[in-house]
Amino acid sequence: MLTVSPHTIRHHATRATLGTALLVAAGLAVPVGPAAAGPVTGAPTAVTVAATASQPVLRQGAKGAAVTTLQRRLTALHYDVGGVDGVFGSSTFHAVVAFQKVNGLTRDGIVGSRTWAALDRPVVPKPKYTHPGYSVEADLTKQVLYLARAGSVVRILDASSGKASTPTPTGNYTVQRRIDGWRQSDLGLLWRPNYFYRGYAVHGATSVPNYPASHGCVRVPVPAMNRLWSTIRIGTPVHIYR
């Protein structure tokens, strides 16, 4: 019978701990925490890749408990999933794309190991401007729209701004007029447009790709605009920047 001394046990435990630390440093292990936790401000807790790999790859059309977990996490981080129903539909897809944009990930709407890991250690955006009430900020670099209030981002929407040939004007504006319905304009077909400068508006659209594609307006998905409509109004500050 082989006898193992306490010193040997301590030695192997130390080696195992060091090995894990080296894996994390080399990028072979991902520092993540529990998926239900809020944004973390302290030092991350290291766990192995296996913990992240155990999460299923999710994409549009998926259903079940893992989708519910995803939706709850995105909602806690203020991404507009539309509702927690366990179904990976269009609104969840756009929420994932918005999260990937903010966190510098591939904008494919697929929740794989990198996106799961980022959900545990997310970038938490802050508005550039502070108003006592609601305000809207469009970050043209990240291609997202923030609904902010009193210095905090309270909702994050997937967005698509003007392409290179028809850029979205940057600057500080307010909502000047609104139309509760569809509007055919020189800049395209707009759903519930909120005009902030001449014919430029934040509006709903049936097509919101993951890159700048509009004629100069800021597009968000139609369901997202429906949820945003009652919150913003004439006079709401609008900040457009890169």
mmCIF file with all atom_site columns, all heavy atoms in Angstrom, residues 163-175:
data_model
loop_
_atom_site.group_PDB
_atom_site.id
_atom_site.type_symbol
_atom_site.label_atom_id
_atom_site.label_alt_id
_atom_site.label_comp_id
_atom_site.label_asym_id
_atom_site.label_entity_id
_atom_site.label_seq_id
_atom_site.pdbx_PDB_ins_code
_atom_site.Cartn_x
_atom_site.Cartn_y
_atom_site.Cartn_z
_atom_site.occupancy
_atom_site.B_iso_or_equiv
_atom_site.pdbx_formal_charge
_atom_site.auth_seq_id
_atom_site.auth_comp_id
_atom_site.auth_asym_id
_atom_site.auth_atom_id
_atom_site.pdbx_PDB_model_num
ATOM 1  N N   . LYS A 1 163 ? -25.103 54.645 -44.227 1.00 0.00 ? 163 LYS A N   1
ATOM 2  C CA  . LYS A 1 163 ? -23.913 54.093 -44.885 1.00 0.00 ? 163 LYS A CA  1
ATOM 3  C C   . LYS A 1 163 ? -22.973 55.221 -45.291 1.00 0.00 ? 163 LYS A C   1
ATOM 4  O O   . LYS A 1 163 ? -23.303 56.416 -45.156 1.00 0.00 ? 163 LYS A O   1
ATOM 5  C CB  . LYS A 1 163 ? -24.337 53.273 -46.097 1.00 0.00 ? 163 LYS A CB  1
ATOM 6  C CG  . LYS A 1 163 ? -25.213 54.006 -47.086 1.00 0.00 ? 163 LYS A CG  1
ATOM 7  C CD  . LYS A 1 163 ? -25.811 53.051 -48.106 1.00 0.00 ? 163 LYS A CD  1
ATOM 8  C CE  . LYS A 1 163 ? -26.816 53.782 -49.009 1.00 0.00 ? 163 LYS A CE  1
ATOM 9  N NZ  . LYS A 1 163 ? -27.464 52.856 -49.956 1.00 0.00 ? 163 LYS A NZ  1
ATOM 10 N N   . ALA A 1 164 ? -21.788 54.873 -45.802 1.00 0.00 ? 164 ALA A N   1
ATOM 11 C CA  . ALA A 1 164 ? -20.746 55.870 -46.077 1.00 0.00 ? 164 ALA A CA  1
ATOM 12 C C   . ALA A 1 164 ? -21.216 56.942 -47.056 1.00 0.00 ? 164 ALA A C   1
ATOM 13 O O   . ALA A 1 164 ? -20.865 58.121 -46.919 1.00 0.00 ? 164 ALA A O   1
ATOM 14 C CB  . ALA A 1 164 ? -19.501 55.182 -46.604 1.00 0.00 ? 164 ALA A CB  1
ATOM 15 N N   . SER A 1 165 ? -22.030 56.565 -48.037 1.00 0.00 ? 165 SER A N   1
ATOM 16 C CA  . SER A 1 165 ? -22.480 57.527 -49.040 1.00 0.00 ? 165 SER A CA  1
ATOM 17 C C   . SER A 1 165 ? -23.606 58.429 -48.544 1.00 0.00 ? 165 SER A C   1
ATOM 18 O O   . SER A 1 165 ? -23.859 59.487 -49.112 1.00 0.00 ? 165 SER A O   1
ATOM 19 C CB  . SER A 1 165 ? -22.936 56.786 -50.308 1.00 0.00 ? 165 SER A CB  1
ATOM 20 O OG  . SER A 1 165 ? -23.995 55.885 -50.004 1.00 0.00 ? 165 SER A OG  1
ATOM 21 N N   . THR A 1 166 ? -24.295 58.007 -47.493 1.00 0.00 ? 166 THR A N   1
ATOM 22 C CA  . THR A 1 166 ? -25.386 58.800 -46.903 1.00 0.00 ? 166 THR A CA  1
ATOM 23 C C   . THR A 1 166 ? -25.254 58.761 -45.385 1.00 0.00 ? 166 THR A C   1
ATOM 24 O O   . THR A 1 166 ? -26.063 58.141 -44.697 1.00 0.00 ? 166 THR A O   1
ATOM 25 C CB  . THR A 1 166 ? -26.763 58.265 -47.333 1.00 0.00 ? 166 THR A CB  1
ATOM 26 O OG1 . THR A 1 166 ? -26.837 56.863 -47.022 1.00 0.00 ? 166 THR A OG1 1
ATOM 27 C CG2 . THR A 1 166 ? -27.003 58.466 -48.815 1.00 0.00 ? 166 THR A CG2 1
ATOM 28 N N   . PRO A 1 167 ? -24.243 59.399 -44.840 1.00 0.00 ? 167 PRO A N   1
ATOM 29 C CA  . PRO A 1 167 ? -23.954 59.285 -43.400 1.00 0.00 ? 167 PRO A CA  1
ATOM 30 C C   . PRO A 1 167 ? -25.003 59.958 -42.518 1.00 0.00 ? 167 PRO A C   1
ATOM 31 O O   . PRO A 1 167 ? -25.665 60.906 -42.925 1.00 0.00 ? 167 PRO A O   1
ATOM 32 C CB  . PRO A 1 167 ? -22.600 59.972 -43.257 1.00 0.00 ? 167 PRO A CB  1
ATOM 33 C CG  . PRO A 1 167 ? -22.570 60.969 -44.371 1.00 0.00 ? 167 PRO A CG  1
ATOM 34 C CD  . PRO A 1 167 ? -23.291 60.306 -45.515 1.00 0.00 ? 167 PRO A CD  1
ATOM 35 N N   . THR A 1 168 ? -25.113 59.443 -41.301 1.00 0.00 ? 168 THR A N   1
ATOM 36 C CA  . THR A 1 168 ? -25.984 60.057 -40.302 1.00 0.00 ? 168 THR A CA  1
ATOM 37 C C   . THR A 1 168 ? -25.284 61.287 -39.722 1.00 0.00 ? 168 THR A C   1
ATOM 38 O O   . THR A 1 168 ? -24.116 61.208 -39.334 1.00 0.00 ? 168 THR A O   1
ATOM 39 C CB  . THR A 1 168 ? -26.281 59.059 -39.171 1.00 0.00 ? 168 THR A CB  1
ATOM 40 O OG1 . THR A 1 168 ? -26.911 57.897 -39.726 1.00 0.00 ? 168 THR A OG1 1
ATOM 41 C CG2 . THR A 1 168 ? -27.188 59.667 -38.120 1.00 0.00 ? 168 THR A CG2 1
ATOM 42 N N   . PRO A 1 169 ? -25.954 62.424 -39.662 1.00 0.00 ? 169 PRO A N   1
ATOM 43 C CA  . PRO A 1 169 ? -25.311 63.623 -39.096 1.00 0.00 ? 169 PRO A CA  1
ATOM 44 C C   . PRO A 1 169 ? -25.076 63.462 -37.602 1.00 0.00 ? 169 PRO A C   1
ATOM 45 O O   . PRO A 1 169 ? -25.942 62.959 -36.879 1.00 0.00 ? 169 PRO A O   1
ATOM 46 C CB  . PRO A 1 169 ? -26.326 64.738 -39.378 1.00 0.00 ? 169 PRO A CB  1
ATOM 47 C CG  . PRO A 1 169 ? -27.643 64.034 -39.500 1.00 0.00 ? 169 PRO A CG  1
ATOM 48 C CD  . PRO A 1 169 ? -27.333 62.693 -40.109 1.00 0.00 ? 169 PRO A CD  1
ATOM 49 N N   . THR A 1 170 ? -23.911 63.833 -37.150 1.00 0.00 ? 170 THR A N   1
ATOM 50 C CA  . THR A 1 170 ? -23.587 63.777 -35.724 1.00 0.00 ? 170 THR A CA  1
ATOM 51 C C   . THR A 1 170 ? -23.908 65.124 -35.081 1.00 0.00 ? 170 THR A C   1
ATOM 52 O O   . THR A 1 170 ? -23.960 66.159 -35.744 1.00 0.00 ? 170 THR A O   1
ATOM 53 C CB  . THR A 1 170 ? -22.113 63.424 -35.494 1.00 0.00 ? 170 THR A CB  1
ATOM 54 O OG1 . THR A 1 170 ? -21.292 64.391 -36.160 1.00 0.00 ? 170 THR A OG1 1
ATOM 55 C CG2 . THR A 1 170 ? -21.799 62.040 -36.051 1.00 0.00 ? 170 THR A CG2 1
ATOM 56 N N   . GLY A 1 171 ? -24.124 65.100 -33.782 1.00 0.00 ? 171 GLY A N   1
ATOM 57 C CA  . GLY A 1 171 ? -24.413 66.330 -33.066 1.00 0.00 ? 171 GLY A CA  1
ATOM 58 C C   . GLY A 1 171 ? -25.421 66.108 -31.956 1.00 0.00 ? 171 GLY A C   1
ATOM 59 O O   . GLY A 1 171 ? -25.805 64.974 -31.660 1.00 0.00 ? 171 GLY A O   1
ATOM 60 N N   . ASN A 1 172 ? -25.833 67.202 -31.349 1.00 0.00 ? 172 ASN A N   1
ATOM 61 C CA  . ASN A 1 172 ? -26.781 67.170 -30.238 1.00 0.00 ? 172 ASN A CA  1
ATOM 62 C C   . ASN A 1 172 ? -28.089 67.805 -30.682 1.00 0.00 ? 172 ASN A C   1
ATOM 63 O O   . ASN A 1 172 ? -28.120 68.970 -31.105 1.00 0.00 ? 172 ASN A O   1
ATOM 64 C CB  . ASN A 1 172 ? -26.205 67.919 -29.032 1.00 0.00 ? 172 ASN A CB  1
ATOM 65 C CG  . ASN A 1 172 ? -24.868 67.332 -28.590 1.00 0.00 ? 172 ASN A CG  1
ATOM 66 O OD1 . ASN A 1 172 ? -24.719 66.125 -28.469 1.00 0.00 ? 172 ASN A OD1 1
ATOM 67 N ND2 . ASN A 1 172 ? -23.892 68.198 -28.354 1.00 0.00 ? 172 ASN A ND2 1
ATOM 68 N N   . TYR A 1 173 ? -29.163 67.035 -30.575 1.00 0.00 ? 173 TYR A N   1
ATOM 69 C CA  . TYR A 1 173 ? -30.456 67.465 -31.093 1.00 0.00 ? 173 TYR A CA  1
ATOM 70 C C   . TYR A 1 173 ? -31.553 67.160 -30.071 1.00 0.00 ? 173 TYR A C   1
ATOM 71 O O   . TYR A 1 173 ? -31.274 66.701 -28.960 1.00 0.00 ? 173 TYR A O   1
ATOM 72 C CB  . TYR A 1 173 ? -30.776 66.725 -32.404 1.00 0.00 ? 173 TYR A CB  1
ATOM 73 C CG  . TYR A 1 173 ? -29.650 66.732 -33.414 1.00 0.00 ? 173 TYR A CG  1
ATOM 74 C CD1 . TYR A 1 173 ? -28.771 65.648 -33.537 1.00 0.00 ? 173 TYR A CD1 1
ATOM 75 C CD2 . TYR A 1 173 ? -29.476 67.813 -34.261 1.00 0.00 ? 173 TYR A CD2 1
ATOM 76 C CE1 . TYR A 1 173 ? -27.748 65.654 -34.470 1.00 0.00 ? 173 TYR A CE1 1
ATOM 77 C CE2 . TYR A 1 173 ? -28.449 67.834 -35.215 1.00 0.00 ? 173 TYR A CE2 1
ATOM 78 C CZ  . TYR A 1 173 ? -27.589 66.744 -35.305 1.00 0.00 ? 173 TYR A CZ  1
ATOM 79 O OH  . TYR A 1 173 ? -26.580 66.760 -36.226 1.00 0.00 ? 173 TYR A OH  1
ATOM 80 N N   . THR A 1 174 ? -32.782 67.422 -30.463 1.00 0.00 ? 174 THR A N   1
ATOM 81 C CA  . THR A 1 174 ? -33.957 66.973 -29.719 1.00 0.00 ? 174 THR A CA  1
ATOM 82 C C   . THR A 1 174 ? -34.970 66.428 -30.718 1.00 0.00 ? 174 THR A C   1
ATOM 83 O O   . THR A 1 174 ? -34.914 66.763 -31.917 1.00 0.00 ? 174 THR A O   1
ATOM 84 C CB  . THR A 1 174 ? -34.615 68.112 -28.907 1.00 0.00 ? 174 THR A CB  1
ATOM 85 O OG1 . THR A 1 174 ? -35.037 69.142 -29.809 1.00 0.00 ? 174 THR A OG1 1
ATOM 86 C CG2 . THR A 1 174 ? -33.661 68.676 -27.866 1.00 0.00 ? 174 THR A CG2 1
ATOM 87 N N   . VAL A 1 175 ? -35.870 65.589 -30.243 1.00 0.00 ? 175 VAL A N   1
ATOM 88 C CA  . VAL A 1 175 ? -36.951 65.112 -31.099 1.00 0.00 ? 175 VAL A CA  1
ATOM 89 C C   . VAL A 1 175 ? -37.853 66.299 -31.409 1.00 0.00 ? 175 VAL A C   1
ATOM 90 O O   . VAL A 1 175 ? -38.379 66.951 -30.501 1.00 0.00 ? 175 VAL A O   1
ATOM 91 C CB  . VAL A 1 175 ? -37.760 63.993 -30.411 1.00 0.00 ? 175 VAL A CB  1
ATOM 92 C CG1 . VAL A 1 175 ? -38.961 63.605 -31.278 1.00 0.00 ? 175 VAL A CG1 1
ATOM 93 C CG2 . VAL A 1 175 ? -36.872 62.779 -30.149 1.00 0.00 ? 175 VAL A CG2 1
#
